[in-house]
Amino acid sequence: MDEKVETLEAELQLVREHNNTLRLMLELLSSKCTKLWSHLQEINKVEQIGISSNQIGSASKLYTNKKARLEFTTAKKPLEIFVRTDPNDDSMIIKDGYQWRKYGQKVTKDNASPRAYFRCSMAPSCPAKKKVQRCIHDRSILVATYDGEHNHDMRLCEDVMQQHDHGSNIKIEEYVSSLIKDPDFTVALAEAVARTITSQRKQQGINLNMDVPEE
DNA sequence: CGCGTTTGACCCGCGC
DNA sequence: GCGCGGGTCAAACGCG
């Protein structure tokens, strides 16, 4: 009986930890959403001014300003991915299908955990880069910021994987089950589902209430 | 010996 | 112009 209670308590603890992680992610996404929303409103204002005053040059003039241009580029902010890992594991390795070569590491002001800089090593001329840093609130979460696009396809990677597996053919069922067991894949999947839900709700015009009730 | 990682130095943009 | 901080470079080092 006690064993059952202990198991349940352990499971409850796990659920609480996951809940905390999700709440942190939601808070981060919420703040980004707010920034993006206000930025969109700014753009709309600029467009309205440009149309109402019938001065085509007025809107573009605003973007000749250095700061304004910077704000504009934030709309194309690089993709951020969250990956849950072992907090004691200091390796900044994220299994995302590509091969990366580390070229630098820096301790940043706002986060005590060092930020690692990676370049794609699958193609010599590939401009893709990524930054990996532990989450300031939860050391078990890695935040990967992707910068630039790969100028090659994933087949290169698949070839490498096949070479690694000595050309053995993996059954699809086995591959799928291995993917499900992979926490990195689960996180990526959860993110994709969340993104789909968010976009669907946006389309339906439902106002998202991002506030998460306190425990 | 070749390849990847580490780490201090350097560069550059931004804010004051 | 200066200082700060983030990003990159490259020599040294380690590992297979």
Side-chain angles (χ1 to χ4, degrees), chain A residues 8 48-49 54 177 183 203:
Chain A
L8 281 170
Q48 276 171 8
I49 292 164
N54 205 18
S177 81
Q203 276 175 1

Side-chain angles (χ1 to χ4, degrees), chain A residues 92 102 104-117 131-134 136 139:
Chain A
M92 301 272 208
K102 192 177 178 181
Q105 185 167 307
K106 254 270 159 63
V107 177
T108 54
K109 199 190 165 191
D110 55 334
N111 194 336
S113 307
R115 177 184 292 168
Y117 299 89
K131 291 174 273 189
V132 180
Q133 190 169 28
R134 293 204 174 273
I136 192 164
R139 281 186 57 81

Side-chain angles (χ1 to χ4, degrees), chain A residues 155-194:
Chain A
R155 203 178 300 172
L156 265 169
C157 173
E158 283 163 19
D159 290 345
V160 171
M161 279 168 80
Q162 271 192 7
Q163 275 171 17
H164 192 261
D165 292 337
H166 304 286
S168 61
N169 293 321
I170 307 166
K171 281 182 186 173
I172 290 178
E173 292 86 345
E174 284 172 7
Y175 184 60
V176 169
S177 81
S178 73
L179 274 179
I180 291 164
K181 282 172 195 165
D182 187 350
D184 294 354
F185 175 76
T186 318
V187 170
L189 183 67
E191 201 198 36
V193 170

Side-chain angles (χ1 to χ4, degrees), chain A residues 83-210:
Chain A
V83 181
R84 181 173 262 282
T85 62
D86 183 357
N88 299 317
D89 183 14
D90 283 336
S91 65
M92 301 272 208
I93 297 161
I94 294 171
K95 287 176 269 176
D96 55 9
Y98 290 97
Q99 276 186 303
W100 300 93
R101 182 194 163 92
K102 192 177 178 181
Y103 67 90
Q105 185 167 307
K106 254 270 159 63
V107 177
T108 54
K109 199 190 165 191
D110 55 334
N111 194 336
S113 307
R115 177 184 292 168
Y117 299 89
F118 294 91
R119 236 192 295 262
C120 180
S121 63
M122 283 167 69
S125 58
C126 181
K129 278 183 263 184
K130 74 169 175 181
K131 291 174 273 189
V132 180
Q133 190 169 28
R134 293 204 174 273
C135 180
I136 192 164
H137 302 294
D138 190 342
R139 281 186 57 81
S140 65
I141 296 169
L142 282 176
V143 184
T145 311
Y146 289 83
D147 207 357
E149 284 177 26
H150 296 274
N151 61 2
H152 53 88
D153 56 7
M154 286 287 283
R155 203 178 300 172
L156 265 169
C157 173
E158 283 163 19
D159 290 345
V160 171
M161 279 168 80
Q162 271 192 7
Q163 275 171 17
H164 192 261
D165 292 337
H166 304 286
S168 61
N169 293 321
I170 307 166
K171 281 182 186 173
I172 290 178
E173 292 86 345
E174 284 172 7
Y175 184 60
V176 169
S177 81
S178 73
L179 274 179
I180 291 164
K181 282 172 195 165
D182 187 350
D184 294 354
F185 175 76
T186 318
V187 170
L189 183 67
E191 201 198 36
V193 170
R195 210 178 292 152
T196 311
I197 292 166
T198 315
S199 64
Q200 275 176 358
R201 284 189 185 179
K202 221 172 189 177
Q203 276 175 1
Q204 289 163 9
I206 297 168
N207 191 20
L208 267 175
N209 183 13
M210 299 292 272

